[in-house]
């Protein structure tokens, strides 16, 4: 395979891009299960500089609460990348991480899982 061709048609570019989006990091600083809800804080809504376009777009998306899974799907990001980016935004006070209600066996509530499934199916 010729690397120039792979980059031109997006083959290898898709593999490289997530790595750059997280500055090479693969682990978030917070535990963010897929059902965790995040929302933009007042500081995130007032953000004018100091963030990447990706971070700004996530803050706009999270003006209404979104699950980690929804952010990943709507932004077309691998789940791990979404977790790292959301964790970074939370560390900077731009998004709030909301604890989720737990059902039986310390699992997410059925209502929350239905909401996430419905949100993902609309994509």
């Amino acid at each position: 395979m010729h690397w120039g061709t792979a980059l031109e048609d997006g083959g290898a570019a898709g593999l490289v891009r997530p790595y750059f989006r997280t500055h090479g990091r693969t682990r978030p600083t917070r535990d963010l299960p897929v059902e965790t809800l995040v929302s933009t804080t007042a500081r995130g809504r007032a953000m004018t500089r100091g963030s990447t376009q990706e971070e700004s777009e996530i803050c706009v998306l999270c003006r209404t609460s979104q699950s980690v899974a929804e952010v990943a799907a709507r932004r077309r990001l691998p789940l791990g990348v979404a977790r790292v980016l959301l964790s970074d935004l939370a560390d900077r006070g731009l998004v709030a991480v909301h604890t989720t209600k737990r059902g039986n066996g310390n699992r997410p509530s059925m209502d929350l899982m239905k909401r996430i499934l419905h949100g993902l199916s609309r994509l």
Side-chain angles (χ1 to χ4, degrees):
M1 173 183 353
H2 182 271
W3 285 107
T5 304
L7 291 174
E8 289 165 13
D9 31 26
L15 297 174
V16 175
R17 192 176 333 144
Y19 179 82
F20 285 111
R21 286 180 174 178
T22 62
H23 305 285
R25 291 172 299 119
T26 58
R27 297 185 190 270
T29 59
R30 300 167 179 253
D31 180 31
L32 295 173
V34 295
E35 72 274 6
T36 302
L37 295 176
V38 292
S39 62
T40 305
T41 63
R43 184 174 175 194
R45 286 188 296 276
M47 175 180 53
T48 56
R49 57 184 126 123
S51 296
T52 66
Q53 181 177 349
E54 188 79 59
E55 291 171 331
S56 298
E57 290 172 357
I58 290 172
C59 285
V60 169
L61 175 64
C62 292
R63 287 184 176 170
T64 58
S65 291
Q66 303 287 318
S67 70
V68 172
E70 289 171 311
V71 171
R74 290 173 193 265
R75 296 298 313 139
R76 299 182 192 271
L77 294 169
L79 189 56
V81 171
R83 284 181 169 141
V84 170
L85 294 174
L86 287 167
S87 180
D88 289 351
L89 291 170
D91 290 346
R92 293 171 37 214
L94 302 175
V95 297
V97 176
H98 307 283
T99 57
T100 56
K101 295 179 183 176
R102 296 289 176 173
N104 294 336
N106 200 29
R107 294 178 182 213
S109 71
M110 188 59 74
D111 289 337
L112 176 60
M113 295 307 290
K114 286 179 183 176
R115 178 182 175 267
I116 292 170
L117 182 61
H118 178 70
L120 292 174
S121 67
R122 289 186 315 203
L123 296 178

